[in-house]
Each structure stands twice: as C-alpha cells, then as structure tokens.
Amino acid sequence: MPTRHPVSTQEGLDALAVYAIGVGLMKDRSAATSDDPFGWFYQSRMHGNPWGTERQPGEPEDWSGCQHGTWFFLPWHRMYLLQFEAIIRNLTNQPDWGLPYWDYPNATDVVVPAPFLDDQSPLYDQLRTEDPFVASEPTWMDAGSFVRFGGGMAERAHHGVSPGAVEDNPHNQVHSRFAGDLSSFQSPLDPLFWIHHANIDRLWEQWLQLGRENPTDSAWLNSSWGFPDIDDPSGRRTYHVSQIQTLAVAGYDYAPAPGEPQGGPERGTVARDDAVLTLVGASRRPGSVVETASVDLLAPEALGLGGPGADEEGAEAAVVPPLFLVLENVALAGRVDAVWNILVSAGGDPVLAGTLAPFGLAELTASGGRTTLTFDISRSAADLLSVGGPAFEVTAEQVTGEPGAVGPTWERAALYTSPA
Ligand code: C2O
C-alpha cells in the first residue's frame, strides 16, 4: 500500500526528489508532443484552462474537468491525484512511490519547501509570487455534515456554487496566496499544486476519522470520470466515487505529519447536525468588501437571546448555539489576485469570521453563477452573543494584492444557526 509522506520529513524529501525527476520527464513529454496525455501541459488542461472557462469544442473530453463548489470537489481531485501519481511512478520506475503532501499547519503558515525555490529545478514556477497574510483559522473539523465540510449536493460543475469549509480554508486560501499559476484554473502547472492537493485529500480522511460520514446517495457514489492511465494498454481508466471514497477502498494512506495531534484535530470532536441551517438574521441591502453591512437579528430567540425571561445570567448559562455568517450570491467582476478577511462584530470588538480567497470566483461570475460562502463562526459565538446587539456588523479588510482592488459583492449577508 503506497504511503504519502509529509514534505517536512526525510521520507517526504526523498519522495520530492523522485517527484522532481518525474515532473521533469512530464515536462519533456509535453515539449516533444504537446497533446501527450502523460505530459505536464495536458495534465494541467485536464484541470482547467487559464481563463477558467468550460471545455471548448474539439478539446479532448477529459480537459477542464475539475469539480469545484459541490460535493464532487473532493472525489474528483482524489481521482486526478491517483492517475497523476501513477504517471510519476511509471516514468521514474518507482512502483512504491507515493506523492508527498504539503503539511502546512494552516493557510497562514505555509512555507514553500526548498526544492521548489531552486530556479534550475523542474519544481520551480517563475510566475509564483508569495503574498503572506493573516487568515482565519480553519473550521472544517467542526463540520458535522458533508455539505458543510466538502460541498453541497449538486450536478457536476466546473464552477459549483456551494463550497464546503475545507474548500475555502485552507484550499482556496493556499491557491490565492501564491498568485501566478496557482490562482488560475490551470493551477497544476505549478508543481506545488499536487502536494497542496495531497494535503487537502488527507484532510478528507482526517474528517472521516472524527466519526463523520460521506454521502450515501447513489448520485454521488455512482458518479464516474475517465482519466488517462499510463499502466493500462487501453491508455484509459474510469474511477467511480465509490471506489475512492475512503483511503481504505482506494488503497493508499498518509504518514502522520510531525507535530500534529495523534488521531487528528483536537477540535471537532462533538458531532453537529448542521446539514440544514436556519436563518436568524439578514442584511437589508446587497453588500461588498468596501462597505459595512448591518445584519439585523430576525430571530434572537433562536440564539437564546431576548426570549421571554432571558436575563443576563440565564443567557450566560445557556448553551451557545452554532453560528454561521453566510455571504449569499457572491460575485466578482474580473479576476484579481487579492484576498479579504471578513470581520463581524455585535457592537464589541470585531472577530475574524473567515477569509474570502476568490479562487475561481471571477470565472464563476463570468459564466453567470454566484457562490454562497458559509463561514462557521461558532467558536466566536459566545463572545459575539454576550454583547448581543440587535444588529451585527460585517466588514471586510483586504489583506493581499494591490491596495484598492475591485473586490467581491454579495446579495445578502446573513446569520444562520443549526441544531446544537
Ligand atoms: Cu481544482 Cu485546488 O483546485
């Protein structure tokens, strides 16, 4: 069973050395024959094109296939990594090789491994720039349902509209942080892409290990995609979601990352019924990253506030309900390499609710879609609700990119809760 090792260990560095050779060979294949399915260029186009548009007529049927913003985000990228890993194994003649993973603790503390910084290495990408920022903490481990964690039930979509928590943070944030190729839909051109996605893939398993569950709908389990297969005489293979939905059935595993708690994240051990959320507050007007939105509480009693007989002490003793800040129908007119932190306050100090890293958002908007971003602010709920003003204020702060970048807009900012 192949094991994927963290890049911060010696095993991970050894795997990176093989990776560099394999990437070099894949680049050579593309240089010799640009439509070689096992070449670097073709493989990147299987994810998407630089404009993030749908597959164009006449292009190979497996181009522009990446799935984002739906419950297919995790399984499609897992399949994509598996067929890619097989190419490197084959070309380097290392049948036991596993793709190393980037064991960043969170999107804020990402450090590019040294081999990627050597401009003579196949792992180098000259378009990469780094724009560090202080981002919100990941909350994917708190998600109780797959829709909150991995994305909403939907048809297959290159640009879906209901990403789960792990897609926003750390996934989108790491893409946006490095700009260049990584912030485009042809992001697999940057060799960082594959070790980044190996980590996202690992977080899926960590979430399952917390006792959470994958969808059981046949519409999810029976969906399949075809990929090039370097080891099969036909040159092709099809993966079904049911064949890769856990590491056990997919047949590989991850070595633990140094310094991470044994047995996965410490938070998130309490399962929560958060598949369906209840509206408790909403803004009256559309908003954007340059204005402060006021979100009126519509149902304070659902949050244990202001109900009959609720006094100061009663409110404090009450169980704090889960709380979500949701930006609905978010759009972005034109791609921009910038990231915004979203802050929320209830009259007291603002808390960092989430980070809006607009990976794919301009492309979604151009295709007529709007996304809904759900930030889990339950960890700050006690503080926010203890102030408990009648209105919450939502503001944004641009944290990377050219100052004053034209940023996202949304139709409504809203607060939701779920059964505890
Ligand atoms: Cu399909 Cu990280 O992207």
Side-chain angles (χ1 to χ4, degrees), residues 47 66 68 77 171 175 193 197 359:
H47 187 274
C66 75
H68 284 262
H77 286 83
H171 171 264
H175 275 281
F193 173 94
H197 267 276
F359 178 62

Side-chain angles (χ1 to χ4, degrees), residues 15 82 124 140 165 267 274 295 350 417:
L82 283 166
Y124 188 69
W140 55 263
R267 301 245 200 189
D274 55 13
V295 177
T417 190

Side-chain angles (χ1 to χ4, degrees), residues 12 29 58 115 119 130 136 141 223 247 322 334 347 351 360 366 379 381 393 398:
R29 286 180 78 115
D119 65 4
E130 187 175 0
S136 48
M141 60 292 280
S223 286
L247 295 188
V351 302
R379 294 179 191 177
E393 307 242 287
Q398 188 187 335

Side-chain angles (χ1 to χ4, degrees), residues 26-27 29-30 33 36-44 87:
M26 289 179 73
K27 289 183 171 177
R29 286 180 78 115
S30 289
T33 316
D36 181 338
F38 309 114
W40 193 249
F41 170 77
Y42 187 104
Q43 286 278 315
S44 72
I87 299 170

